[in-house]
Amino acid sequence: MFRSVKIKLFLWFFLTFSLILSATGFFIYRELGGIVIESIDNHLHSEIQFIANLLEVEKGKIEVELQEASVGEYTVPYSGHYYQVVSEDDIILVKSPSLADSILPLSPIESLPRNAPRFETSTGPKTQPLRLMSQLFTIQNKPIIIQAAEDLSDSYRIIDSFRSVILLILLGVFLLSGLGGLFIAGMALRPLNVFSKKIGLITEKNLNERVLIEGLDTELKQLAKSFNATLERLEQSFLMQRQFLADASHELRTPTSVIKSYCEVTLKQERKVEEYQSALKVINEVVTKISFLIDKILEVSRLDSQMVMRPEKLDIMDVLKDVYHLMLPLAEKNGITIALHGELKTVVNGDRERLVEMFTNIVDNAIKYNQAGGRVDIELCLINKKDASISIADTGIGMPQEEVDRIFERFYRIDTSRGEIAGSGLGLSIAKAIAEAHHGRIIVQSEIGTGSIFKIYIPLVFQ
Ligand code: ADP
């Protein structure tokens, strides 16, 4: 319901604080009420014991002795201090003059406990609230009830005014704590606002900027670190995309300018049919290259967004057999011997089409960058219990060690292979992306003039 952290913080603080405070106020109020009533009860108790003692000392002279006890406050009519002595048949034997014509509410003898007083809150002669104590005594073998009572009006007034004071204090504290809570919540969240303003200033134009971690509160440090890491990744992918766009346009520029100049030269004058045919032939070849390049570029950008995989349990040997048959004609055309080794049944979880594409890209290179009469050996083996290992070895031109790490970059082609052998520089970057999508990896060993070995590891599926 509440979408603001500040309001949530404030409400939690305020509700908790109010609950504790209200409970404390209520507890104090109840305790005070209890203390007041308890002190009245004690007073009544000693009063009744006093009256009972007088009755016991002077047997037979109940009325006379009690008159002596009924001094001071007990003589003033409706003074608020009352007593009465009642016989077993509810006859009032003696009562305090303060009662005047009235009597205290009678307690039936059967309802009274033996040897213990009974306290109750009742209504007095002038309908004022009374605290009444009744106790059963045996005088001259006869049951006698002694009752004493105190007017509770004053005590109730004290308790009521105490309640008003507590309510007033609570109201003040609620108000102050509410304002304080809002202030504290605002203060606590201020660094977050500062932080949000800082990150609000970062756009695609200054993706290289980072949020300064020093000086931030501990809680925000982690947030800033994660944010900076996200920025780092964003910047990398932004730069990669920019580079990709630049490279792609660069790669397309050469063939398009070839077409343009061919068209311009051919159209300059009237030509023979054969000349037009030869120009169109060249243009057709270049257009074929362009469309191949565009296909690769599209493929790479598709890999960049989200590689759609249709994984299934595959015997990798079946996949390699497909690759072998696919590449055999090219190998024969180039005078290269190609062989497939290993008969292991090795199951991986993969996308057949993608894996075929990955292996063909590598085998295609092994044939392309080979030497006359060379070999390509595809071998499947298990180097450990976790991965299927496929090695594709050629006896080709090889690569300098410092270039090996770069061949998986997009559009990267080793200078020596540029020009002489057709290629886009995208095949290995696609192969790497496919291997990674299968949680696998590719390792390359190469030596100039001797050849290269590409080792591909794909995790096994355990059945
Ligand atoms: P290309 O279309 O140029 O073959 P790749 O991404 O497939 O693009 O390969 C990148 C570069 O790596 C190639 O231009 C080539 O120089 C080098 N390369 C790849 N495979 C081999 C290999 N088997 N032997 C020698 N060089 C290779």
Side-chain angles (χ1 to χ4, degrees):
M1 188 163 76
F2 298 105
R3 288 272 138 242
S4 153
V5 177
K6 185 176 170 183
I7 298 291
K8 273 187 200 164
L9 260 178
F10 162 71
L11 280 180
W12 274 113
F13 167 77
F14 187 69
L15 283 178
T16 317
F17 194 65
S18 307
L19 217 74
I20 294 172
L21 215 69
S22 308
T24 315
F26 179 71
F27 177 75
I28 294 175
Y29 168 71
R30 261 192 49 166
E31 277 300 293
L32 184 89
I35 289 169
V36 169
I37 296 293
E38 198 182 309
S39 83
I40 292 174
D41 287 353
N42 284 341
H43 179 73
L44 289 174
H45 192 265
S46 53
E47 197 55 48
I48 282 192
Q49 299 315 312
F50 177 65
I51 296 168
N53 280 341
L54 283 178
L55 287 174
E56 271 176 347
V57 173
E58 298 297 331
K59 290 175 191 164
K61 294 185 193 170
I62 293 167
E63 204 173 337
V64 178
E65 290 306 323
L66 280 177
Q67 286 303 335
E68 279 175 22
S70 56
V71 284
E73 54 205 15
Y74 289 95
T75 55
V76 182
Y78 306 115
S79 64
H81 307 278
Y82 313 104
Y83 66 78
Q84 69 186 18
V85 180
V86 188
S87 72
E88 62 181 315
D89 28 328
D90 286 349
I91 293 167
I92 310 289
L93 299 175
V94 185
K95 65 178 181 177
S96 62
S98 54
L99 272 169
D101 302 334
S102 338
I103 58 164
L104 294 172
L106 294 171
S107 297
I109 210 158
E110 325 74 65
S111 70
L112 291 174
R114 304 255 143 215
N115 304 323
R118 194 181 74 185
F119 293 99
E120 61 197 300
T121 305
S122 184
T123 317
K126 287 184 86 183
T127 65
Q128 73 275 46
L130 270 191
R131 186 68 177 166
L132 174 68
M133 175 182 160
S134 313
Q135 192 168 357
L136 187 63
F137 290 90
T138 310
I139 314 283
Q140 289 180 334
N141 290 327
K142 280 193 178 161
I144 288 214
I145 301 160
I146 304 179
Q147 292 181 295
E150 287 276 332
D151 190 339
L152 283 176
S153 305
D154 284 346
S155 309
Y156 276 3
R157 254 194 299 281
I158 292 172
I159 293 172
D160 279 354
S161 58
F162 180 72
R163 188 179 52 199
S164 307
V165 170
I166 283 190
L167 282 176
L168 223 80
I169 292 175
L170 280 183
L171 210 78
V173 175
F174 283 162
L175 216 80
L176 279 177
S177 68
L179 289 174
L182 265 179
F183 178 71
I184 291 170
M187 287 283 285
L189 293 175
R190 234 210 343 238
L192 209 60
N193 288 338
V194 176
F195 184 73
S196 114
K197 272 190 193 134
K198 268 187 198 169
I199 60 176
L201 294 175
I202 295 172
T203 63
E204 77 281 1
K205 294 205 175 66
N206 56 349
L207 267 181
N208 58 335
E209 284 193 17
R210 298 288 176 267
V211 176
L212 266 182
I213 292 176
E214 286 86 53
L216 283 179
D217 294 334
T218 323
E219 292 81 1
L220 288 182
K221 268 192 180 140
Q222 199 43 48
L223 189 66
K225 274 185 197 159
S226 314
F227 182 73
N228 283 346
T230 310
L231 269 187
E232 183 77 41
R233 283 196 298 274
L234 265 181
E235 191 193 2
Q236 284 305 322
S237 99
F238 204 72
L239 287 177
M240 270 173 71
Q241 281 195 16
R242 198 180 282 172
Q243 186 63 40
F244 179 61
L245 202 69
D247 290 345
S249 348
H250 177 79
E251 291 296 318
L252 286 169
R253 192 186 288 145
T254 323
T256 41
S257 44
V258 169
I259 295 174
K260 195 166 180 292
S261 55
Y262 256 86
C263 289
E264 278 169 4
V265 170
T266 316
L267 291 172
K268 246 184 192 156
Q269 60 191 72
E270 196 74 14
R271 291 183 189 276
K272 290 187 203 135
V273 176
E274 299 83 63
E275 281 177 313
Y276 284 124
Q277 277 179 341
S278 116
L280 279 176
K281 226 170 158 185
V282 175
I283 292 173
N284 185 39
E285 266 172 33
V286 180
V287 167
T288 313
K289 267 188 200 163
I290 293 181
S291 92
F292 169 78
L293 193 60
I294 290 175
D295 280 352
K296 290 275 174 197
I297 290 172
L298 279 177
E299 201 167 335
V300 174
S301 56
R302 229 183 30 222
L303 294 182
D304 261 355
S305 43
Q306 179 77 73
M307 192 184 291
V308 185
M309 296 264 288
R310 280 174 291 273
E312 55 181 318
K313 279 181 187 156
L314 294 172
D315 183 350
I316 206 93
M317 200 58 199
D318 284 349
V319 178
L320 291 177
K321 277 177 187 162
D322 283 356
V323 175
Y324 171 79
H325 290 299
L326 261 171
M327 301 312 288
L328 191 60
L330 181 74
E332 280 171 354
K333 192 178 145 205
N334 288 26
I336 307 290
T337 312
I338 184 164
L340 176 62
H341 313 276
E343 270 304 325
L344 292 163
K345 187 170 166 62
T346 311
V347 182
V348 301
N349 198 22
D351 183 319
R352 185 180 202 94
E353 219 175 289
R354 295 268 176 222
L355 288 176
V356 168
E357 188 181 358
M358 176 182 75
F359 290 126
T360 24
N361 280 355
I362 297 170
V363 175
D364 181 61
N365 282 345
I367 297 171
K368 271 197 312 191
Y369 302 110
N370 220 312
Q371 306 181 78
R375 285 187 63 86
V376 173
D377 289 285
I378 308 170
E379 188 175 12
L380 168 67
C381 58
L382 289 173
I383 47 146
N384 56 38
K385 289 191 174 119
K386 285 190 296 180
D387 304 297
S389 157
I390 302 100
S391 83
I392 298 167
D394 63 64
T395 53
I397 57 173
M399 297 169 263
Q401 199 48 47
E402 62 279 10
E403 304 271 14
V404 169
D405 296 334
R406 302 203 59 195
I407 54 172
F408 292 99
E409 288 174 21
R410 286 162 189 179
F411 295 106
Y412 191 80
R413 305 197 71 207
I414 299 174
D415 270 347
T416 48
S417 55
R418 244 179 226 279
E420 306 144 35
I421 303 162
S424 62
L426 292 172
L428 286 182
S429 67
I430 294 171
K432 185 177 176 227
I434 295 174
E436 281 170 358
H438 285 83
H439 308 290
R441 61 193 196 283
I442 305 176
I443 289 171
V444 185
Q445 290 163 356
S446 190
E447 207 175 305
I448 295 251
T450 311
S452 315
I453 305 177
F454 282 71
K455 285 185 179 160
I456 304 113
Y457 299 100
I458 308 280
L460 291 171
V461 169
F462 297 99
Q463 293 156 318

